[in-house]
Amino acid sequence: MDGAGRLARSQRPQADLKAAALGAVILLREYVSARLTRVRLPRRQTKPQHGRRPPRGDRAQVPVALAPMVEREAPPRIVAFVERYLPRRLGTIATVALLFGSVWLGIVKGGHAQDVSAALSDTRNSLANAAGFRITAVAINGRKQLTQDEILAIGGVTGRSSLLFLDAAAVRDRLKANPWIAEATVQKFFPNQLQIDIVERKAFALWQQDGRLSVIADDGAVLEQYVSRRFLTLPLVVGKGAESRARDFLALLARYPQVRAVTKAAVFVGERRWNLRTKDGLDIRLPEYDVGNALATLSQLDQEDKLFSRDIVAIDMRLADRLTVQLSEDAGKARDELFKDKKSKKKAGDA
């Protein structure tokens, strides 16, 4: 019975298992420490004794010394907030923004903003024109008073404009801002065609205010200053507020062609009522209300008594129950002499 031999064989596997378990515990501790500190810890190697390196198996079983875990002091809350929420390279971005802001401020203060904007616009339009987007065909429909060049100038379309960067909405707004143009439509057909459709206002009357004569539309919009003889045949209205009330009054006056034919101007008095000035200089003072009946009365009196051909200077119709006529100076003298003769004849007859 070899008890010593059997004992030696039974203890060798237990020693191997113990060494393996010890190594697993060491590796687990190292892994946990690395995860906690987020730092890869170097292993401390033991120096070989007497100048010889230890065997490979022995090196694997050398215990590893773990570095002590260093706790970082928590930063202030403001610093933590900045580090967490503000983007990286914020300083560089702020510096660049400050630089561009300073340049732009200098341009604005120096009054060069419009020049810089025009230069940038010309540059991009030149590039687009070189790429084949130059406007070579323009169709304008609906124009009568304005020429094609005037419409393009109003819309801001020049020979340097490119169809690619042309803002159709902005062109339309600029066109509608012109008093002659009531409506406008702008369409782009790539690569090089532009179409503009407009609805023009019509010249309706001439309006005189403070010595200035203007051409107005039927809605009272001032179209332009009177400089052309082509508007000479338009009716004339005078006075403050006459431009906005002219359409209704002239429409009423047109119902009485006999009165309309002799009228030279319609004068709006006190922004309340109208006076008529005839071509012969007769001043007709119309009432504030019931103007239609007054015009009908004038028309009837002229048909029956040739009222407008008589030697009178004014007709006052402001009172509803009477009509007052002012004779001219010569007619007044003749009338006075006529009455004198009648009185003298009457006295002689009485005698």
Side-chain angles (χ1 to χ4, degrees), residues 195-211:
Q195 179 174 325
I196 300 176
D197 299 315
I198 64 172
V199 177
E200 285 188 353
R201 288 187 173 93
K202 295 181 180 180
F204 176 71
L206 297 177
W207 174 47
Q208 182 177 342
Q209 168 70 10
D210 296 332

Side-chain angles (χ1 to χ4, degrees), residues 22-65:
L22 180 60
V25 171
I26 294 174
L27 292 176
L28 180 61
R29 288 179 58 190
E30 182 180 1
Y31 175 78
V32 172
S33 299
R35 294 289 294 179
L36 291 176
T37 59
R38 301 285 183 175
V39 179
R40 181 175 296 177
L41 299 176
R43 294 184 178 180
R44 188 177 63 181
Q45 302 292 338
T46 58
K47 295 182 180 181
Q49 296 179 357
H50 306 290
R52 290 187 299 177
R53 298 178 62 184
R56 185 178 300 270
D58 296 340
R59 289 203 308 270
Q61 298 178 2
V62 174
V64 178

Side-chain angles (χ1 to χ4, degrees), residues 23-340:
V25 171
I26 294 174
L27 292 176
L28 180 61
R29 288 179 58 190
E30 182 180 1
Y31 175 78
V32 172
S33 299
R35 294 289 294 179
L36 291 176
T37 59
R38 301 285 183 175
V39 179
R40 181 175 296 177
L41 299 176
R43 294 184 178 180
R44 188 177 63 181
Q45 302 292 338
T46 58
K47 295 182 180 181
Q49 296 179 357
H50 306 290
R52 290 187 299 177
R53 298 178 62 184
R56 185 178 300 270
D58 296 340
R59 289 203 308 270
Q61 298 178 2
V62 174
V64 178
L66 298 179
M69 184 182 299
V70 179
E71 294 184 359
R72 180 185 176 186
E73 183 179 356
R77 292 184 177 181
I78 297 178
V79 176
F81 178 83
V82 171
E83 291 179 349
R84 181 174 181 180
Y85 291 102
L86 291 185
R88 300 181 63 185
R89 303 183 184 278
L90 180 62
T92 304
I93 296 174
T95 302
V96 173
L98 180 62
L99 177 61
F100 278 100
S102 301
V103 173
W104 180 250
L105 180 62
I107 292 174
V108 172
K109 288 294 186 180
H112 305 294
Q114 188 173 1
D115 296 337
V116 172
S117 178
L120 294 176
S121 178
D122 290 343
T123 301
R124 69 174 187 176
N125 284 330
S126 299
L127 295 175
N129 290 336
F133 293 99
R134 182 183 298 276
I135 300 176
T136 58
V138 179
I140 300 178
N141 302 319
R143 66 177 185 86
K144 295 179 181 179
Q145 300 293 338
L146 300 174
T147 65
Q148 177 171 324
D149 291 340
E150 288 175 338
I151 293 174
L152 293 177
I154 293 170
V157 181
T158 65
R160 299 187 301 272
S161 301
S162 66
L163 196 68
L164 182 62
F165 293 111
L166 184 68
D167 189 346
V171 174
R172 177 179 177 273
D173 292 341
R174 285 193 290 266
L175 289 173
K176 290 189 65 177
N178 186 273
W180 275 105
I181 301 175
E183 291 294 336
T185 303
V186 181
Q187 295 178 311
K188 301 194 297 182
F189 298 96
F190 287 96
N192 54 11
Q193 295 183 8
L194 179 66
Q195 179 174 325
I196 300 176
D197 299 315
I198 64 172
V199 177
E200 285 188 353
R201 288 187 173 93
K202 295 181 180 180
F204 176 71
L206 297 177
W207 174 47
Q208 182 177 342
Q209 168 70 10
D210 296 332
R212 298 190 301 270
L213 198 61
S214 306
V215 181
I216 62 173
D218 59 354
D219 59 355
V222 177
L223 302 179
E224 64 178 44
Q225 298 298 317
Y226 174 72
V227 294
S228 176
R229 297 183 62 86
R230 58 181 173 159
F231 303 119
L232 188 60
T233 58
L234 295 175
L236 174 64
V237 294
V238 182
K240 182 180 179 181
E243 77 283 7
S244 59
R245 302 281 293 275
R247 177 172 56 186
D248 295 336
F249 178 75
L250 293 179
L252 178 62
L253 184 62
R255 299 177 186 177
Y256 306 94
Q258 195 162 350
V259 181
R260 174 69 183 86
V262 299
T263 300
K264 179 181 180 180
V267 183
F268 199 45
V269 181
E271 300 186 51
R272 297 184 300 106
R273 62 176 191 85
W274 292 91
N275 286 350
L276 296 179
R277 179 67 58 86
T278 68
K279 298 174 183 178
D280 295 331
L282 176 62
D283 188 17
I284 303 174
R285 300 162 189 171
L286 296 174
E288 184 176 354
Y289 304 104
D290 204 7
V291 181
N293 286 337
L295 293 175
T297 301
L298 286 173
S299 181
Q300 183 179 359
L301 288 174
D302 186 63
Q303 289 179 359
E304 296 175 355
D305 301 327
K306 304 296 181 181
L307 180 64
F308 298 144
S309 301
R310 294 182 176 273
D311 195 5
I312 55 180
V313 295
I315 301 175
D316 194 344
M317 305 181 72
R318 290 176 292 179
L319 298 178
D321 58 344
R322 70 190 66 180
L323 183 148
T324 304
V325 176
Q326 180 181 352
L327 299 176
S328 65
E329 185 177 355
D330 294 337
K333 290 180 180 180
R335 182 176 179 276
D336 291 341
E337 292 177 359
L338 179 61
F339 273 104
K340 287 181 182 180

